[in-house]
Amino acid sequence: MVAEVESGSRNAAGFAGKVILSVAFIWSCFQIYIASSIPFILAEKTGLNFVFNSQEARQIHLAFAIILAMLAYPLLKTSPRDRVPLYDWALAIVGASSCLYLLYFKIDIDARAGLPTAADLVFSTIGMISLAIAVFRALGLPLVIVASVFVFYVFFGHLSIMPEAIMWKGASFSKAMWHYWMQTEGVFGVALGVSSSMIFLFVLFGSLLEKAGAGSYFIKLAFALLGHLRGGPAKAAVVASALSGLYSGSSIANVVTTGTFTIPLMKRTGFKPEKAGAVEVASSTNGQLTPPVMGAAAFLISEFTGISYPELIKHAFLPAVISYIALVYIVHLEALKLGLEGLPRPSRIGTLASRLANVLFGFIFVGVIAIAVYYVLGWVKVAFPGMGMVSASLMFLVAYLVLLSAASRHPDLEPDDPNAPIKMLPRPWDVAITGFHFILPIVILIWCILIERLSPTLSAYWATMAMIFIVLTQHPLKRMMRGQGLFTEDFKRGWADFLEGMIAGARNMIGIGVATGAAGVIVGTVSLTGLHQVVGEFVEFLSGGSLMLMLLLVAVMSLLLGMGLPTTANYIVVSSLMAPVIVSVGASQGLIVPLIAVHLFVFYFGILADDTPPVGLAAFAAAAISGGDPIRTGVQGFAYDIRTALLPFMFLFNTELLLIDVGPFKAVFIFVVAVVAMMLFAAATQGYFFTRNRIWETAALLLIAFTLFRPGFWLDLVQPPFDERPGSSVVQMAGDMPENGDIRFVVSGPDFDTGKIYTKTLLVPLGVPGDGAERLQRSGINVMVEDGKALLEEPFPGTTYFQTLSDYDFYGDTPVEISLVELDAERMYKEIFYIPALLLLTLVVMMQRRRQTVPAF
């Protein structure tokens, strides 16, 4: 199932099989090549051009993806699996040629910009058809249908059969083909650029990490740490899936990788097949929430929002951790309901004091290492600017040899039979010591991104190179350290793992490569037709202007599209159409919604679609292992994921959960409160806390969770959040604001299309101190105070607020003005509402403890 979905179900032998493997390996080598400094070194040494710019890299990237899609995925269910028919060879050649045509004739194409020749139109048409066939093979019919609807709208949007609300003038064939294929507004747009520059290397890194043995290591480590607890195998499945999510972008592959081991063990400890599969599904789909990869969408979110990748990781980290902790708690509640026990573990050794001392020493040891790495490498950067990479490489080598030497003193981890009885869990340290060296490349990746502030591409490149070094050397070095003599076979094993990792990485990218190309068709349609404004108006009409109802509609849209589209394509479609609308409607209702919160909202619901019946492929994969019913598995998995559905609504209205403008100490406080709130929400939705809930207890837990998540809601009911000042005071207020302060005001004026008066709230950053009018002007707001009114002038094209205010009619009889200035009111702390919430929680706990029959832990 994984092969059919992720990397192609054709297992061709002979020449065809060698071609597929060779093309996949060459694709991986090409991606490493363009990410390295080798092209620039070769160009400098030889005087020849070995450098591929972003547009050229996209063209070659898609050519590789189309070739492999045609060869590795059969066209139809009846097509042969053991050989490649002639028509597939022809389709692969034609599809790749349509991409490479742009590369070969790039100078001529640039010279005739916007004026395609007959050859341009022929190759563009062939390219679009080839892409559609590749998408159909790799991802199925749904994405082809969605993209075709958008193409149909471009050509026939002017026909009378179209609803008047979405009609447009239409486009000629030559204009549309040029837009879609010959420039970077369509297929070869931002999405494909992110796939070719960032996503591939992260997927390749994960593939090499898996082939090196890290997947098995993480599973065994999770079991050693958690297997002795109630529902231990299920808790271990959650943690193992979270660790796999660090490098895996696929929920289906995550299900099979960890589920093959965890699901049978969950069943043996008392979980029903559907619940065992559902735990694995919920764990694996949530793996796509885990930075740094986030199902390959992290890089797209960063690109579309303009937020740096390190900042995005910071915003996405807390919700992902909260979601996983809550899932572990849900598993714990299920184990309490079933009265399950943990797996046997070795007897504890030593007194309580000695065990506490060991734990304390462990924390101190890890902290000392972290501080040493941070400051030593930082000192190397300052003392030897030109030697930083060399020194860091030497430190990596020393750390690698030390950790590998420690691992060599213990036997290698062997695959276990999940159906065999477990007489005793291994000691956590005995498992952990065998694979600490797998963590080094992950440390390098995070170090490069967060400390060195390298680009995601370059960071993934260095992490991948470190991983390749480990894959090639770990087995022969271990044999040498153990004094076991010749290690020829271990060298061969390392090379085999390397080749398999490179090939698997490329094959796992086939679907993502063609999906981002198809998503470019949708984004290109939006940019050509302005469709997002039309769809936005339609959804706004359906919601009656209610932001909450609109969010529910967007969530449902994401879930429905996600049933047929991969997460990445689903995110691109919905965010392109709806993200600006949510921001605009929020502003009209006085809610300033950060763009990153909106994009994460869409992304979260796209992920939830992976286990949404009736077509959640992750649920089908889990059911194939558990022997349960796939629909019931999907329904149960979605029930476990309700807590994940709550988070996007919470962080839209309480952006502190995304650590926006939050200091480190407050971040810790927010984390603790949010974890407690999410666990209470989980207890309410599962109907079990210390014992089975009564109806009023469930309602009370929901109320407490809501209060902990959003205490500001109750404060707004008691005290207004803003002191209102007349709009005419905006210039004076702007002048009084401190350096880098923000001013919040309400814009009122006639709608450009309807002429009706409507309002929009803006939060404008003011920068350095100075005259109020000048500070506003520098921010892109031109104000003129006349007759006690602050009249707003139309922003210039290209300025910050040109698009934001483009729906106002600045030349009508009614002027556009700043009607109100809103200053933060001095109010009591919103956290005061935690007190009644905690008192109510105490009452619920006391009432449940009287009925409790099973220990809570």
Side-chain angles (χ1 to χ4, degrees):
M1 181 179 291
V2 174
E4 187 172 343
V5 174
E6 298 290 334
S7 57
S9 58
R10 178 171 281 154
N11 188 20
F15 175 75
K18 292 178 181 178
V19 169
I20 293 173
L21 299 181
S22 299
V23 171
F25 180 77
I26 293 170
W27 189 11
S28 291
C29 291
F30 169 75
Q31 295 292 157
I32 292 175
Y33 169 80
I34 61 174
S36 70
S37 57
I38 295 175
F40 302 97
I41 295 173
L42 290 175
E44 184 179 351
K45 297 293 184 183
T46 64
L48 302 175
N49 184 19
F50 289 94
V51 180
F52 294 95
N53 62 34
S54 175
Q55 188 171 355
E56 294 163 352
R58 297 175 194 184
Q59 293 157 1
I60 298 173
H61 180 83
L62 186 59
F64 273 115
I66 288 178
I67 291 173
L68 288 174
M70 302 299 187
L71 300 181
Y73 289 87
L75 179 61
L76 302 170
K77 290 184 178 180
T78 56
S79 299
R81 260 60 174 173
D82 57 346
R83 61 185 177 85
V84 179
L86 286 177
Y87 62 81
D88 281 349
W89 290 108
L91 287 172
I93 293 171
V94 169
S97 299
S98 61
C99 298
L100 299 180
Y101 171 83
L102 303 175
L103 179 67
Y104 189 79
F105 294 103
K106 61 180 179 179
I107 297 176
D108 296 336
I109 292 172
D110 291 340
R112 58 174 180 267
L115 299 171
T117 63
D120 292 342
L121 295 178
V122 169
F123 276 96
S124 298
T125 305
I126 292 173
M128 293 287 286
I129 295 172
S130 298
L131 178 61
I133 296 173
V135 170
F136 171 71
R137 289 169 177 262
L139 301 170
L141 195 58
L143 183 54
V144 178
I145 294 175
V146 172
S148 299
V149 168
F150 281 81
V151 173
F152 179 87
Y153 178 70
V154 166
F155 290 122
F156 305 108
H158 62 287
L159 298 181
S160 57
I161 60 173
M162 302 295 290
E164 186 177 349
I166 64 172
M167 287 182 66
W168 87 297
K169 63 181 180 180
S172 65
F173 183 77
S174 60
K175 180 179 180 180
M177 286 298 104
W178 185 274
H179 189 81
Y180 280 137
W181 195 260
M182 304 299 294
Q183 59 177 4
T184 57
E185 293 292 325
V187 172
F188 299 97
V190 172
L192 190 64
V194 172
S195 176
S196 64
S197 63
M198 301 182 204
I199 296 176
F200 192 103
L201 284 176
F202 277 87
V203 171
L204 179 60
F205 171 73
S207 178
L208 290 166
L209 195 61
E210 180 69 33
K211 293 297 179 183
S216 175
Y217 170 72
F218 287 146
I219 294 172
K220 286 181 176 288
L221 183 59
F223 266 87
L225 290 170
L226 301 174
H228 65 284
L229 302 174
R230 287 184 181 272
K235 292 174 181 175
V238 175
V239 174
S241 294
L243 292 172
S244 297
L246 289 173
Y247 59 84
S248 172
S250 166
S251 57
I252 301 169
N254 200 334
V255 165
V256 176
T257 302
T258 58
T260 304
F261 187 71
T262 61
I263 290 175
L265 284 175
M266 281 190 268
K267 288 173 63 181
R268 281 177 42 214
T269 54
F271 279 85
K272 293 182 179 179
E274 286 79 12
K275 288 198 173 183
V279 169
E280 185 59 52
V281 168
S283 307
S284 298
T285 52
N286 277 212
Q288 294 190 75
L289 305 177
T290 312
V293 178
M294 294 171 64
F299 318 103
L300 291 165
I301 297 173
S302 176
E303 198 75 23
F304 290 153
T305 60
I307 292 174
S308 69
Y309 182 66
E311 281 293 306
L312 173 65
I313 291 178
K314 184 186 82 171
H315 296 323
F317 177 75
L318 191 59
V321 173
I322 293 170
S323 181
Y324 264 112
I325 291 175
L327 184 55
V328 171
Y329 183 61
I330 287 175
V331 167
H332 179 71
L333 294 177
E334 288 284 8
L336 285 176
K337 292 179 191 177
L338 298 172
L340 303 182
E341 297 293 336
L343 297 172
R345 63 171 175 172
S347 59
R348 299 179 183 180
I349 299 175
T351 63
L352 177 61
S354 65
R355 294 198 300 271
L356 290 175
N358 288 335
V359 172
L360 182 61
F361 174 77
F363 278 110
I364 294 174
F365 179 72
V366 172
V368 168
I369 290 178
I371 293 171
V373 169
Y374 182 89
Y375 285 104
V376 169
L377 285 184
W379 176 81
V380 169
K381 283 180 61 181
V382 174
F384 305 100
M387 292 288 290
M389 191 55 66
V390 174
S391 303
S393 300
L394 289 174
M395 292 183 68
F396 161 76
L397 182 61
V398 171
Y400 172 57
L401 292 175
V402 170
L403 294 176
L404 200 64
S405 175
S408 67
R409 299 189 191 100
H410 295 74
D412 292 338
L413 297 179
E414 297 294 337
D416 291 327
D417 181 2
N419 296 307
I422 296 181
K423 297 180 180 179
M424 192 68 65
L425 287 169
R427 296 178 186 275
W429 177 255
D430 292 342
V431 176
I433 193 65
T434 63
F436 279 140
H437 57 285
F438 292 137
I439 301 174
L440 278 177
I442 300 175
V443 172
I444 289 173
L445 176 65
I446 296 172
W447 169 268
C448 290
I449 291 172
L450 299 182
I451 307 300
E452 294 285 344
R453 293 283 174 170
L454 300 181
S455 68
T457 302
L458 199 54
S459 301
Y461 167 75
W462 286 116
T464 301
M465 297 308 294
M467 198 63 245
I468 290 173
F469 179 76
I470 289 176
V471 169
L472 291 174
T473 62
Q474 63 171 339
H475 298 303
L477 284 178
K478 276 185 184 179
R479 179 175 286 272
M480 184 177 67
M481 291 171 177
R482 289 167 177 164
Q484 295 176 342
L486 297 175
F487 37 77
T488 306
E489 292 300 318
D490 292 290
F491 267 123
K492 291 181 180 178
R493 181 181 174 186
W495 275 103
D497 289 343
F498 165 67
L499 292 173
E500 289 176 9
M502 295 282 280
I503 292 168
R507 295 190 69 159
N508 290 339
M509 274 299 300
I510 300 171
I512 296 176
V514 297
T516 50
V521 173
I522 296 164
V523 175
T525 299
V526 172
S527 64
L528 181 63
T529 65
L531 183 61
H532 65 283
Q533 296 179 348
V534 177
V535 174
E537 290 173 2
F538 179 65
V539 174
E540 189 174 353
F541 168 76
L542 290 179
S543 65
S546 167
L547 178 62
M548 183 57 70
L549 187 54
M550 175 179 285
L551 291 174
L552 291 172
L553 288 173
V554 172
V556 171
M557 182 191 301
S558 297
L559 289 173
L560 291 175
L561 285 174
M563 290 182 184
L565 304 187
T567 303
T568 307
N570 184 17
Y571 159 72
I572 293 172
V573 173
V574 181
S575 64
S576 300
L577 293 173
M578 296 309 305
V581 183
I582 294 174
V583 173
S584 177
V585 172
S588 69
Q589 297 184 15
L591 179 67
I592 305 298
V593 184
L595 191 58
I596 179 62
V598 176
H599 280 259
L600 285 174
F601 179 93
V602 172
F603 173 61
Y604 265 58
F605 279 100
I607 285 174
L608 287 175
D610 272 2
D611 58 11
T612 304
V615 290
L617 293 178
F620 276 83
I625 299 170
S626 70
D629 180 82
I631 302 299
R632 291 180 182 175
T633 301
V635 171
Q636 185 65 59
F638 190 75
Y640 289 154
D641 269 339
I642 288 177
R643 82 208 183 283
T644 307
L646 173 72
L647 274 172
F649 288 97
M650 289 297 102
F651 61 58
L652 268 183
F653 293 97
N654 182 7
T655 56
E656 289 181 343
L657 289 171
L658 299 178
L659 301 183
I660 296 176
D661 298 328
V662 170
F665 294 107
K666 189 172 183 181
V668 173
F669 176 74
I670 291 169
F671 170 72
V672 172
V673 172
V675 167
V676 172
M678 185 56 79
M679 292 172 72
L680 294 176
F681 179 79
T685 55
Q686 294 302 308
Y688 196 100
F689 191 23
F690 287 88
T691 186
R692 294 194 181 277
N693 298 342
R694 291 172 176 164
I695 294 177
W696 75 267
E697 291 171 339
T698 295
L701 290 174
L702 289 173
L703 180 62
I704 296 165
F706 176 77
T707 303
L708 295 178
F709 267 126
R710 200 185 169 209
F713 174 83
W714 305 111
L715 181 59
D716 291 345
L717 295 179
V718 176
Q719 293 178 317
F722 303 106
D723 290 331
E724 296 180 350
R725 301 285 189 273
S728 56
S729 65
V730 66
V731 174
Q732 177 190 342
M733 295 292 180
D736 294 338
M737 287 290 173
E739 184 175 2
N740 297 322
D742 299 321
I743 187 167
R744 178 187 175 105
F745 53 77
V746 178
V747 178
S748 175
D751 181 87
F752 186 83
D753 296 319
T754 65
K756 295 181 179 178
I757 302 297
Y758 84 107
T759 61
K760 180 177 290 188
T761 303
L762 297 182
L763 186 67
V764 179
L766 294 174
V768 298
D771 178 73
E774 292 179 358
R775 296 182 79 181
L776 288 168
Q777 190 173 22
R778 284 196 300 267
S779 299
I781 299 293
N782 297 308
V783 181
M784 181 172 57
V785 179
E786 288 184 358
D787 300 328
K789 292 184 177 181
L791 305 182
L792 200 60
E793 298 179 10
E794 183 178 18
F796 294 110
T799 57
T800 306
Y801 296 98
F802 176 72
Q803 288 292 341
T804 305
L805 300 175
S806 61
D807 43 4
Y808 282 105
D809 184 1
F810 285 88
Y811 303 100
D813 295 333
T814 304
V816 180
E817 63 174 307
I818 296 175
S819 57
L820 289 174
V821 179
E822 297 180 332
L823 301 177
D824 290 332
E826 291 189 8
R827 305 189 294 172
M828 58 182 171
Y829 291 110
K830 62 184 179 182
E831 289 77 13
I832 198 73
F833 290 94
Y834 290 162
I835 296 175
L838 294 176
L839 290 175
L840 181 57
L841 176 60
T842 303
L843 175 62
V844 173
V845 171
M846 290 173 59
M847 297 299 292
Q848 291 219 344
R849 288 294 296 271
R850 293 178 180 178
R851 310 194 310 272
Q852 183 180 354
T853 57
V854 179
F857 296 97

